[in-house]
């Protein structure tokens, strides 16, 4: 009964979980009891996560010069993002989420050529989450990388937006991966620059955007940055904003080789982690939801385990842990 109550509470509100337990499992239980069980067992699952992180951190491996390691045939990818949830007494705080996935070839429709083409596709996705700063999130990132055998994979990639905390963690933990700034975030910056320079929605802005988008896709982010910088000098009223967009492309040009990465079967969008963020928000950020920090932190490992398909495994670990 406790296991079902906790699992249902990760998928829906405590009130809805109570109703579902009564209707689907014929379990008569109060909403307060569902909440109490989730607090108790959420804390236990949180401790399971912490023990896993301790074991992983105690065996951090650095590459040894000349060492030959047998690689698997699997290609792995990772992505990270943040979403906001409301914490009582703190207001809106960032919930960091990440995911790991296998990258496989699949057929997809190309809107330009109107043909089916082979592209990279994410499968077998697992998630991590943390309400707080990047340091603790990094420990969870490393723990999941170890579990997914990241450094034994045939090849790896990280695709995400341009947030500094993400790429700092990549350098620390996923240092051997191909790095790519998400295509849709990059084109969003390009669109904003077009509107600033030529007027929002103007025909000239649309033409310029299409020209620069083609260059960007072909890996010419440095040229795009230079073009925007030149526009900034011609438009003094929007100069500072345009220079910021120019700096975005200049600073991340080594992470913007989209055509090459697409041709090699890698993902160029971070939709899988954004989808994960929406699933976290669906449980934590519906209308009127306000969380205590302790309550959110106890439910997060439950929600994460359910989304990853590891709830039953982690429940067994928590249930069989010796009392402290």
């Amino acid at each position: 009964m406790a296991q079902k109550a906790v699992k249902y509470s990760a998928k829906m509100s405590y009130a809805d979980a109570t109703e579902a337990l009564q209707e689907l499992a014929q379990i008569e239980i109060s909403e307060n009891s569902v909440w109490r069980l989730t607090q108790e067992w959420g804390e236990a699952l949180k401790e399971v996560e912490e023990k896993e992180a301790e074991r992983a951190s105690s065996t951090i491996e650095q590459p040894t010069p000349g060492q030959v390691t047998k690689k698997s045939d699997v290609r792995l990818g990772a992505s990270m993002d943040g979403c906001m949830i409301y914490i009582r007494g703190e207001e809106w705080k960032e919930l960091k989420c990440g995911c790991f996935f296998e990258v496989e070839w699949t057929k997809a429709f190309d809107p330009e050529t109107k043909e089916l083409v082979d592209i990279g596709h994410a499968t077998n996705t697992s998630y991590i989450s943390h309400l707080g700063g990047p340091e603790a999130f990094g420990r969870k990132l490393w723990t999941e990388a170890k579990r997914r055998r990241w450094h034994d994979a045939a090849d790896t990639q990280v695709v995400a937006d341009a947030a500094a905390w993400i790429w700092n963690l990549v350098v620390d933990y996923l240092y051997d991966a191909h790095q790519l700034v998400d295509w849709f975030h990059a084109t969003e910056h390009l669109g904003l620059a077009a509107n600033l320079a030529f007027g929002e929605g103007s025909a000239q802005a649309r033409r310029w955007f299409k020209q620069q988008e083609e260059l960007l896709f072909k890996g010419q982010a440095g040229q795009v940055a230079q073009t925007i910088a030149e526009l900034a000098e011609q438009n003094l009223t929007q100069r500072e904003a345009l220079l910021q967009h120019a700096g975005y492309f200049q600073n991340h040009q080594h992470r913007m080789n989209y055509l090459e990465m697409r041709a090699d079967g890698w993902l160029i969008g971070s939709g899988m982690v954004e989808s994960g963020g929406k699933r976290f928000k669906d449980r934590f950020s519906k209308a009127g939801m306000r969380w205590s920090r302790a309550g959110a932190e106890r439910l997060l490992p439950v929600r994460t385990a359910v989304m990853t398909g590891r709830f039953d495994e982690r429940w067994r670990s928590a249930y069989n842990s010796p009392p402290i």
Side-chain angles (χ1 to χ4, degrees):
M1 183 271 290
Q3 182 179 9
K4 283 185 171 60
V6 175
K7 191 172 186 177
Y8 274 59
S9 73
K11 299 179 179 182
M12 58 192 76
S13 70
Y14 296 122
D16 289 342
T18 301
E19 183 177 346
L21 287 165
Q22 293 170 346
E23 291 184 356
L24 302 178
Q26 288 76 55
I27 295 175
E28 295 294 330
I29 187 172
S30 68
E31 181 180 341
N32 185 64
S33 294
V34 172
W35 174 86
R36 179 180 53 79
L37 287 167
T38 302
Q39 299 306 296
E40 177 184 346
W41 288 101
E43 186 68 27
L45 265 66
K46 182 179 172 183
E47 291 175 3
V48 168
E49 280 192 352
E50 290 170 352
K51 289 176 181 177
E52 289 179 355
E54 288 175 5
R55 288 194 295 269
S57 296
S58 67
T59 57
I60 291 180
E61 301 147 358
Q62 295 295 337
T64 302
Q67 181 182 11
V68 178
T69 303
K70 184 178 180 180
K71 298 288 187 178
S72 72
D73 295 330
V74 175
R75 297 197 305 166
L76 292 176
S79 190
M80 289 158 267
D81 201 1
C83 60
M84 308 302 287
I85 68 174
Y86 194 92
I87 303 298
R88 291 198 299 268
E90 302 179 45
E91 299 190 354
W92 292 98
K93 308 298 290 187
E94 184 176 58
L95 168 64
K96 291 178 170 59
C97 59
C99 67
F100 287 79
F101 48 88
E102 295 179 13
V103 181
E104 299 179 355
W105 288 99
T106 188
K107 293 285 187 183
F109 179 75
D110 188 326
E112 296 292 333
T113 64
K114 311 300 182 183
E115 296 176 350
L116 284 175
V117 295
D118 291 316
I119 64 169
H121 179 69
T123 65
N124 191 20
T125 304
S126 59
Y127 296 94
I128 58 173
S129 63
H130 178 66
L131 181 62
E135 183 176 347
F137 182 80
R139 294 180 67 226
K140 293 188 176 185
L141 186 73
W142 176 256
T143 302
E144 189 63 14
K146 294 275 288 186
R147 194 183 76 84
R148 297 298 297 261
R149 299 181 59 197
W150 177 267
H151 296 293
D152 294 334
D155 209 352
T156 56
Q157 81 159 144
V158 177
V159 54
D161 67 29
W165 67 267
I166 293 176
W167 300 109
N168 289 339
L169 290 177
V170 171
V171 170
D172 289 340
Y173 297 104
L174 309 178
Y175 41 81
D176 54 354
H178 301 289
Q179 299 180 16
L180 196 69
V181 167
D182 170 74
W183 169 250
F184 302 102
H185 282 89
T187 55
E188 183 179 28
H189 278 266
L190 200 60
L192 291 172
N195 290 334
L196 286 170
F198 303 106
E200 185 170 356
S202 68
Q204 191 175 3
R206 291 194 295 271
R207 286 195 300 270
W208 183 89
F209 173 84
K210 292 299 294 183
Q211 292 168 354
Q212 301 306 312
E213 183 186 42
E214 184 176 352
L215 289 173
L216 180 62
F217 187 72
K218 291 179 179 178
Q220 302 299 315
Q223 184 175 338
V224 172
Q226 182 178 347
T227 300
I228 297 174
E230 291 171 355
L231 288 174
E233 298 308 319
Q234 301 167 15
N235 189 335
L236 297 181
T237 59
Q238 303 292 352
R239 183 177 182 276
E240 291 302 318
L242 284 167
L243 286 177
Q244 288 182 1
H245 291 297
Y248 171 88
F249 291 105
Q250 183 68 36
N251 295 335
H252 293 285
Q253 59 180 306
H254 61 293
R255 301 187 178 110
M256 292 181 168
N257 50 334
Y258 300 106
L259 179 60
E260 178 184 344
M261 292 290 283
R262 169 65 68 82
D264 288 341
W266 295 109
L267 282 69
I268 65 171
S270 58
M272 73 299 295
V273 76
E274 292 179 15
S275 174
K278 290 177 181 177
R279 292 173 67 186
F280 279 112
K281 285 175 67 68
D282 186 61
R283 181 61 186 93
F284 287 91
S285 296
K286 285 186 176 178
M289 285 189 173
R290 300 290 186 268
W291 298 87
S292 68
R293 175 167 285 273
E297 290 180 340
R298 287 170 181 149
L299 185 58
L300 267 174
V302 185
R303 178 65 170 169
T304 304
V306 167
M307 287 171 54
T308 302
R310 297 183 66 202
F311 176 81
D312 292 341
E313 173 190 337
R314 290 204 162 173
W315 177 271
R316 287 192 296 270
S317 297
Y319 190 81
N320 294 321
S321 294
I324 298 175

